Structures are given as C-alpha cells and as structure tokens.
Amino acid sequence: MSSYLVIDTEVIDEDAFSEFVAKIYDAVTAHSGTFLVRGSDLDVVEGDWTPQRLVIMSFDSDDGAGTFVRSSEYTSLEELRLRAVHSKVVVAAGYKG
C-alpha cells in the first residue's frame, strides 16, 4: 500500500526556495517517492481552503511518507526549508479498501 505527503505551502523567500527545490528532488527519490502535484495552478471548488502552492508526494509503502519526513535526507534540509516556506504538512495512508 502507498502513503502520501500532502503539503500546503507559502513561499516566503524565493532564493532559499529555489535552493530547496534543487535539493528536495534527490531526497524524495532516495526514498522511492514521486511528485504527483507540485505547483500553484489550483482551483478551489468548495470550502475556504486557499493553498498558495500544493505539493503531493507518493511513496511505495505504508510507512514511506513517515519514514521520509524523519529521514536524514529530509531533516538535513530543515534550516533551508524553514527559511524558504511556511508549510502545513500531512502524512496520509493510502486507501486499503
């Protein structure tokens, strides 16, 4: 089963964000993750949620997303990430229907 990382983010420093983007891809792929959504072309059709930028990553295992956010590859980017963005992050398990 898959797991997902859903991130609602606001870029606060474009230079730091560009540096972060250049580094995060390798961290994600090192954990067999893939980007499903990454951008700001959003159409809110219901409710008052207004994300500025949405990122959704998929990981191949039940604990893949959780393992990724605790990994050294991700946590080593924390200082840069905190300079670059304000984020809300959710780890979600895939549907087991």
Side-chain angles (χ1 to χ4, degrees):
M1 193 58 52
S2 296
S3 58
Y4 302 89
L5 197 59
V6 180
I7 306 167
D8 174 359
T9 192
E10 172 190 4
V11 177
I12 56 174
D13 181 326
E14 289 290 342
D15 292 335
F17 182 69
S18 293
E19 186 179 345
F20 178 74
V21 167
K23 294 179 178 183
I24 192 64
Y25 180 81
D26 289 339
V28 171
T29 57
H31 286 269
S32 300
T34 57
F35 287 93
L36 301 177
V37 175
R38 186 167 61 176
S40 56
D41 186 11
L42 306 167
D43 181 15
V44 177
V45 296
E46 187 172 338
D48 61 0
W49 183 32
T50 54
Q52 290 186 10
R53 182 175 180 80
L54 186 66
V55 177
I56 301 175
M57 296 177 225
S58 174
F59 294 85
D60 292 339
S61 65
D62 285 348
D63 61 348
T67 299
F68 170 71
V69 297
R70 291 185 296 277
S71 72
S72 61
E73 292 88 353
Y74 183 73
T75 58
S76 69
L77 298 175
E78 181 175 25
E79 181 183 333
L80 178 59
R81 181 175 49 81
L82 293 175
R83 279 191 293 126
V85 296
H86 288 150
S87 296
K88 298 173 185 163
V89 181
V90 176
V91 172
Y95 181 67
K96 294 181 169 93

